[in-house]
Amino acid sequence: TLSDRLREELDRRGWPRTRDNLVAVGNEWRRDFGAEILARKSLALVAPETKAVVVEGIRNPGEISFLKEFWGAVIVGVDAPEELRLRLYLGRAKARGEDTASEAEFWRVNERDLGKNEDQFGQQAGACLDMADVKLMNDGTEKFLTESKKAGKEQYLVLYFISAHPGSTLLDMAELAVFLKERRIRPQQINDFL
C-alpha cells in the first residue's frame, strides 16, 4: 500500500500514526516532490523479474498518471457503498488505533478523501476512481466476483511488496525505475482499491 511509505516517514519523524498525519505528510510530499511521489517511491524497488504488481492506496491522480505512463498500468477502481465503507472504516480505525473511530469522523474523512476542499496535491480518491480503466463495485463477495468476471478480470490472491528500504534515496529509486524502463520490464496489471 502506498501509505506504508507515509507510515515509515511518520515513524522516522516520531509522529503518531493518525489518519490526519498520514494525509498531511502525503500532501507535503506531493507538493515538494511531485504528485506521483508515493507511487514512484513504492514501485522503484520492484524486482526486475516481477511480472505483475498490485498497488493499493492510491489517492491522487498524479499517482495514476505515473503508473499508466511509466508502467503501462491498468487501473482497476474498486468502490463500495458508503454503509460498507463506514463499517470497514470503523473496524480498521479501531484496530490500527489511528483515529478516534466515530461515524462523524468517517463522514469528515470520507469527504476529504474524495477530494472536497483539497488542492491538486491533496486527497482525490473520487478523481482516481473516475480515471480507472475498469470499475468494480464491492458490495458483497458474490456480486464482486460476478462483476469481476463480467469485466473480464480474473481475481487472484497476490502478495504485495514492501519498498522504500531504510537508507534508499529518491535518486536510488529513480535509477532503479530507469533500469526497469530500459529493459521494458512492466507489471501486467495494477489494482487500485479505493
Side-chain angles (χ1 to χ4, degrees), residues 37-97:
I37 188 61
L38 294 175
R40 186 179 300 275
K41 284 178 82 62
S42 293
L43 290 179
L45 297 175
V46 173
E49 65 276 3
T50 301
K51 300 288 186 211
V53 176
V54 176
V55 176
E56 66 102 8
I58 296 172
R59 296 289 185 268
N60 187 280
E63 296 156 354
I64 290 179
S65 295
F66 171 80
L67 294 169
K68 285 185 171 189
E69 289 172 27
F70 194 78
W71 289 86
V74 173
I75 306 298
V76 179
V78 181
D79 200 0
E82 287 180 335
E83 303 79 32
L84 176 58
R85 291 197 330 260
L86 169 62
R87 194 170 71 243
L88 293 171
Y89 168 83
L90 292 173
R92 278 188 296 229
K94 186 174 183 179
R96 289 181 181 166

Side-chain angles (χ1 to χ4, degrees), residues 13-31:
R13 293 181 184 191
W15 293 8
R17 288 183 172 193
T18 65
R19 195 180 228 350
D20 286 338
N21 283 346
L22 289 167
V23 169
V25 172
N27 293 354
E28 172 192 316
W29 277 10
R30 283 189 288 272
R31 273 189 203 88

Side-chain angles (χ1 to χ4, degrees), residues 24 28 34 38 50 57 92 106 108 122-123 127 145 150 155 157 159 165 178 181 191:
E28 172 192 316
L38 294 175
T50 301
R92 278 188 296 229
F106 167 78
R108 181 189 74 79
Q123 304 292 290
L145 294 174
K150 230 190 316 188
Q155 301 294 315
L157 178 61
L159 297 176
H165 293 242
V178 170
K181 185 173 183 179
N191 290 329

